[in-house]
Amino acid sequence: AVFNSLNHDMTLTEFKFIWYMEYSHRMWGRVVGLAYIVPAAYFWRKGWLSRPMKGCVLALCGLVCFQGLLGWYMVKSGLEEKPDSYDIPRVSQYRLAAHLGSALVLYSASLWTGLSLLLPRHKLPESHQLLRLRQFAHGTTALIFLTALSGAFVAGLDAGLVYNSFPKMGERWIPDDLLAFSPMLRNIFENPTTVQFDHRILGISSVTAVTALYLFSRKIPLPRRTRMAVTSLLAVAYMQ
């Protein structure tokens, strides 16, 4: 269906390129799965894992397997023929967002677990400012996660192709077709204009939140490692 409606002039060399990209992604995913499961089984058998760590390892291995299943489920949606649809065949933006979100959770949990084992926790006095900073950091994390998920909807709907000017969208700050779909809630997930608009707003909000977090952290006496982390976050946010 994709070949007939979209890529009928594709050469064999061009097809091989996208095929190998997909194949490499799948093989790399399987290698990642083995990199979790094989050492986990070895350490478990050796008795090197504490009871809490066993739970953590099981959760991470389970998440790896779930991530692979989500990838298959996502690709399957792009291969299903819809007789009543004349749209370009593409994977479901909902499944794409789920696959990306699951990957981000897996990566973050792995990094958190690894750093918790490698770096000792700082013994800091629980001041009001420190509590505020921690809450602010958690809120910023949630906002960045939401922004990344909105990016998956942009990719799934090819919404990046709708408007290519910034900061305005075409000639307007707020485009006319922002709420063209009915019911209204559908626009957030299925209207390419709204999806791109939301992603822009969330992206700007994320950079603003990271900047505010950095400025707030400057007022608090923090360990060198924490200060380096906040500065790195600011640099990466602006580079992104």
Side-chain angles (χ1 to χ4, degrees), residues 110-227:
S110 303
L111 190 65
W112 186 279
T113 305
L115 290 177
S116 299
L117 292 169
L118 289 169
L119 301 172
R121 191 181 178 93
H122 284 302
K123 297 283 191 293
L124 298 174
E126 284 290 329
S127 65
H128 177 66
Q129 278 189 317
L130 192 64
L131 184 65
R132 286 271 309 279
L133 180 69
R134 189 178 290 123
Q135 289 171 339
F136 199 169
H138 289 163
T140 304
T141 304
L143 182 60
I144 292 168
F145 182 73
L146 189 62
T147 305
L149 287 191
S150 75
F153 280 90
V154 171
L157 289 169
D158 287 332
L161 304 177
V162 182
Y163 292 96
N164 60 2
S165 56
F166 187 86
K168 287 185 177 181
M169 296 177 76
E171 296 299 315
R172 302 175 67 88
W173 289 102
I174 300 174
D176 291 331
D177 54 341
L178 194 67
L179 300 174
F181 289 19
S182 182
M184 194 180 291
L185 195 62
R186 267 188 67 208
N187 289 282
I188 298 171
F189 306 107
E190 297 180 15
N191 183 341
T193 299
T194 315
V195 165
Q196 193 196 121
F197 181 79
D198 291 344
H199 187 60
R200 289 177 180 224
I201 298 299
L202 285 165
I204 294 163
S205 301
S206 292
V207 172
T208 306
V210 169
T211 306
L213 180 71
Y214 172 79
L215 294 172
F216 182 59
S217 73
R218 300 290 293 175
K219 300 175 181 177
I220 309 169
L222 293 171
R224 181 175 172 272
R225 200 171 74 208
T226 312
R227 193 161 299 290

Side-chain angles (χ1 to χ4, degrees), residues 34-117:
L34 288 173
Y36 274 83
I37 294 164
V38 173
Y42 178 76
F43 295 149
W44 195 299
R45 188 176 176 81
K46 284 283 188 180
W48 293 346
L49 301 176
S50 65
R51 191 177 176 85
M53 189 48 62
K54 282 181 179 179
C56 194
V57 163
L58 278 176
L60 288 173
C61 289
L63 196 51
V64 166
C65 297
F66 177 68
Q67 173 68 6
L69 282 171
L70 260 182
W72 165 81
Y73 185 59
M74 178 193 76
V75 170
K76 184 173 176 286
S77 69
L79 301 174
E80 292 167 352
E81 294 228 22
K82 304 175 183 70
D84 57 337
S85 174
Y86 299 97
D87 195 12
I88 294 168
R90 55 162 64 92
V91 298
S92 162
Q93 68 271 28
Y94 297 101
R95 299 184 195 184
L96 179 60
H99 189 50
L100 176 66
S102 175
L104 289 172
V105 170
L106 174 62
Y107 179 76
S108 302
S110 303
L111 190 65
W112 186 279
T113 305
L115 290 177
S116 299
L117 292 169

